[in-house]
Amino acid sequence: RVLLFVGGPVTEGPGAIVDKNMDEAVRQHKDIAKDTATFYKKATKFYEGLSAELVKNGHVMDIFACALDQIGLAEMKVAVERTGGVAVLAESFHHPVFKQSFSRLVSESEGEGAAAGSGGEEGTTSLGVAARGTFEVFPSRDVKINGVIGPCAPLDKKTAAVSETQIGWGGTSAWRMCGLDAGTTVAVFLEVAQQEAKSGKEAAAAGPGAQAQQFFLQFCTSRQLPSGEQRLRVCTLTRAWTDAANTQHLTQGFDQEAAAVVLARLATHKMEYDDEFDPMRWLDRKLIGLAKKFGEYRKDDPQSFQLAPTMSLYPQFLFNLRRSQFIQVFNNSPDETAHCRVLLHRESVTNSLIMIQPVLLAYSFNGQPEPVLLDVQSIAADRILLLDSFFTVVIFHGVSIAQWRKAEYHKQAEHQAFAQLLQGPHHDAKSILAERFPVPRLVDCDQHGSQARFLLTKLNPSATYNSNVPAGSDIIYTDDVSLQVFMDHLKKLAVQD
């Protein structure tokens, strides 16, 4: 592993991202989009060449960027992602995000936490770090491989199963994974192969599944453990063919969580490599197309529209994806965007879905902690909220809770219930930090405080400055549409002829 500790932007050599004389600022998203970032293309090309050398030698590049300004992670991202490395962003080398993440990675790489169920530090989960891996896909002849999106690099192994249409890193059936861990995930894109009909009736009957009722996929992953042992895992799956017109079968087999994550990976990949790509329009077309095909409705009657339970949450996932930092780059630096996408492209479906649609828990005197809607209306004066957005864990105290805490009621014997209420979210946040890598940032804030923005930016703006809400209710100052308005528009477009 090559561990790179960066405390400022690169200013020397072919990988420089900004000039030393400070005549111009570090590039932003608008500079990259308008092609006015002087150093961007040259630096990116340099790091692409560097990533090829790293992959060739089986090395992993890890970047620990600890600075208040950008350091060039957007350009270096390709070297991290193709080698399966990790990228950690923190404000300084004294920040807990850096210290805890670095400590866990080093202890795991040295084999100290390699035993199943143990971690490098007490209370942490083992990462299962491995190296020098390869990932191969062997499909049935009815299926072809478009490519993968994830922390790997193509090995140029062309077989009959490789499709001419490439998605992500394509043109091969095998990929090098220089570094991987127990949570590393790749998205594999496949297509149905065109059947060659011979004549007459065979031509009419030819199509997917004409030769068999099911098809097979085999994934082979080899890797080397810190102990030096070589492991090979083979995972074989089978799936049944069905007629494309049989929407009921397709609906029953739809995994809406995985579909949302795959679409997020594909959209962010296209944003980086397709110059004319419009992610919002593309996502909207995908969602409207699915709603038209699989929704149940009467023509021109939006009130009659409904989706099956296996698809009912999918529009909500895409609503939050459209508002996420993966698609909306405004108010995010290119380095922050690159950091988020590196993790999106390597994490599991569960973790990736938390990035897209954060988890919100509420703590009150009324009972046990309970999940609540990711909505501004979930804020209450006598409630504590715990938000997990993967990158940040936020403990948000309602205004009454904050006042009672400042008055130190929790230190009085007669208010033990209040003391326990305050401890609950901190205990759960500690558990999240112990399990996750890289370690997320912990934000402890109060309602109407400056850091409350970490929560408000993730909530559905069902109440804004244009809404008629009761006095004292929290609102979000935004022009973004709410989930309800979004769903109303979707239903209207889906039922149109």
Side-chain angles (χ1 to χ4, degrees):
R1 304 188 80 98
V2 180
L3 277 69
L4 182 63
F5 302 92
V6 192
V10 183
T11 58
E12 288 285 350
I17 69 157
V18 70
D19 205 322
K20 290 175 69 174
N21 59 20
M22 299 185 184
D23 283 347
E24 57 184 73
V26 180
R27 79 282 175 277
Q28 299 294 336
H29 279 294
K30 63 179 182 180
D31 302 317
I32 297 173
K34 295 178 180 179
D35 199 19
T36 57
T38 310
F39 298 88
Y40 182 74
K41 287 187 175 179
K42 181 181 177 182
T44 302
K45 186 176 180 180
F46 167 74
Y47 291 114
E48 285 178 351
L50 181 61
S51 70
E53 288 296 316
L54 291 166
V55 170
K56 180 181 176 181
N57 294 305
H59 295 161
V60 182
M61 170 71 83
D62 300 317
I63 296 180
F64 294 88
C66 298
L68 294 174
D69 202 353
Q70 301 183 72
I71 57 90
L73 183 60
E75 290 84 351
M76 300 176 188
K77 171 181 175 289
V78 62
V80 176
E81 194 163 47
R82 292 192 186 179
T83 63
V86 298
V88 177
L89 280 186
E91 295 176 358
S92 73
F93 289 107
H94 298 287
H95 200 282
V97 169
F98 164 72
K99 287 185 175 182
Q100 296 173 26
S101 300
F102 175 63
S103 175
R104 288 192 63 190
L105 179 65
V106 171
S107 63
E108 288 277 346
S109 300
E110 292 177 350
E112 295 175 14
S118 67
E121 298 177 13
E122 185 179 353
T124 61
T125 304
S126 174
L127 300 178
V129 171
R132 306 182 76 83
T134 57
F135 176 69
E136 293 189 70
V137 181
F138 300 94
S140 297
R141 60 182 178 179
D142 295 334
V143 178
K144 288 192 177 292
I145 307 164
N146 295 119
V148 305
I149 296 179
C152 57
L155 282 177
D156 197 26
K157 182 179 180 180
K158 296 187 182 295
T159 65
V162 176
S163 170
E164 294 181 1
T165 305
Q166 295 188 22
I167 299 177
W169 313 124
T172 181
S173 63
W175 294 263
R176 170 67 58 82
M177 303 183 76
C178 299
L180 63 161
D181 57 48
T184 300
T185 309
V186 295
V188 182
F189 294 85
L190 308 164
E191 70 179 19
V192 179
Q194 295 295 323
Q195 300 290 331
E196 293 184 3
K198 294 183 178 179
S199 63
K201 295 180 180 180
E202 291 181 339
Q211 298 173 345
Q213 294 300 313
Q214 60 189 47
F215 65 94
F216 295 86
L217 296 170
Q218 191 171 78
F219 304 100
C220 298
T221 309
S222 65
R223 63 201 187 281
Q224 181 179 315
L225 304 182
S227 62
E229 292 181 70
Q230 197 74 22
R231 296 284 178 85
L232 172 65
R233 186 180 71 176
V234 180
C235 181
T236 306
L237 310 174
T238 182
R239 291 291 185 271
W241 289 112
T242 188
D243 188 347
N246 192 339
T247 56
Q248 185 177 359
H249 281 183
L250 295 172
T251 301
Q252 291 173 351
F254 188 72
D255 186 334
Q256 54 190 341
E257 289 86 2
V261 173
V262 167
L263 212 61
R265 286 198 187 192
L266 185 54
T268 52
H269 183 85
K270 284 177 171 289
M271 287 179 72
E272 293 180 7
Y273 293 98
D274 293 0
D275 293 335
E276 302 299 324
F277 181 67
D278 184 344
M280 301 290 278
R281 187 180 297 272
W282 184 80
L283 288 171
D284 289 344
R285 282 202 303 262
K286 291 289 185 184
L287 180 57
I288 294 168
L290 179 135
K292 278 182 175 291
K293 184 174 180 64
F294 296 101
E296 297 180 5
Y297 55 87
R298 293 186 298 272
K299 181 182 173 183
D300 295 330
D301 183 6
Q303 298 302 319
S304 66
F305 179 87
Q306 62 179 1
L307 286 170
T310 54
M311 295 182 172
S312 59
L313 295 177
Y314 188 66
Q316 181 179 312
F317 293 151
L318 292 200
F319 169 76
N320 285 293
L321 174 61
R322 293 167 86 258
R323 301 180 68 235
S324 70
Q325 68 269 39
F326 304 113
I327 305 299
Q328 299 286 353
V329 298
F330 177 76
N331 208 31
N332 285 284
S333 70
D335 278 17
E336 289 172 321
T337 300
H339 173 246
C340 293
R341 290 177 180 172
V342 165
L343 291 172
L344 176 70
H345 290 181
R346 65 172 289 131
E347 289 296 328
S348 65
V349 169
T350 301
N351 285 342
S352 298
L353 202 60
I354 292 174
M355 301 179 199
I356 296 169
Q357 180 172 296
V359 176
L360 189 63
L361 296 176
Y363 300 75
S364 67
F365 292 110
N366 298 328
Q368 296 295 318
E370 59 179 356
V372 293
L373 293 175
L374 193 68
D375 193 288
V376 65
Q377 294 182 4
S378 295
I379 297 176
D382 59 348
R383 175 187 272 183
I384 303 176
L385 297 177
L386 176 65
L387 177 83
D388 179 11
S389 66
F390 190 86
F391 305 102
T392 308
V393 176
V394 182
I395 300 174
F396 178 93
H397 303 88
V399 63
S400 296
I401 297 286
Q403 290 172 353
W404 297 337
R405 188 197 67 234
K406 292 174 183 176
E408 298 187 345
Y409 287 170
H410 57 289
K411 295 182 180 179
Q412 299 175 15
E414 62 269 27
H415 295 297
Q416 286 301 308
F418 180 54
Q420 293 174 0
L421 178 64
L422 289 178
Q423 292 172 2
H426 285 273
H427 180 271
D428 292 344
K430 186 178 179 181
S431 299
I432 295 172
L433 267 61
E435 294 176 358
R436 187 159 299 158
F437 180 84
V439 176
R441 177 180 179 178
L442 179 63
V443 177
D444 192 346
C445 62
D446 298 333
Q447 187 177 1
H448 307 311
S450 63
Q451 290 194 313
R453 66 185 187 277
F454 286 98
L455 172 71
L456 297 178
T457 56
K458 299 297 182 181
L459 299 181
N460 171 39
S462 60
T464 67
Y465 63 92
N466 287 323
S467 307
N468 293 321
V469 296
S473 300
D474 223 323
I475 61 172
I476 296 179
Y477 292 91
T478 181
D479 291 322
D480 289 349
V481 299
S482 66
L483 177 60
Q484 184 61 51
V485 174
F486 178 79
M487 289 301 299
D488 290 343
H489 279 280
L490 173 62
K491 292 175 182 179
K492 183 179 178 180
L493 292 170
V495 302
Q496 288 179 356
D497 190 7

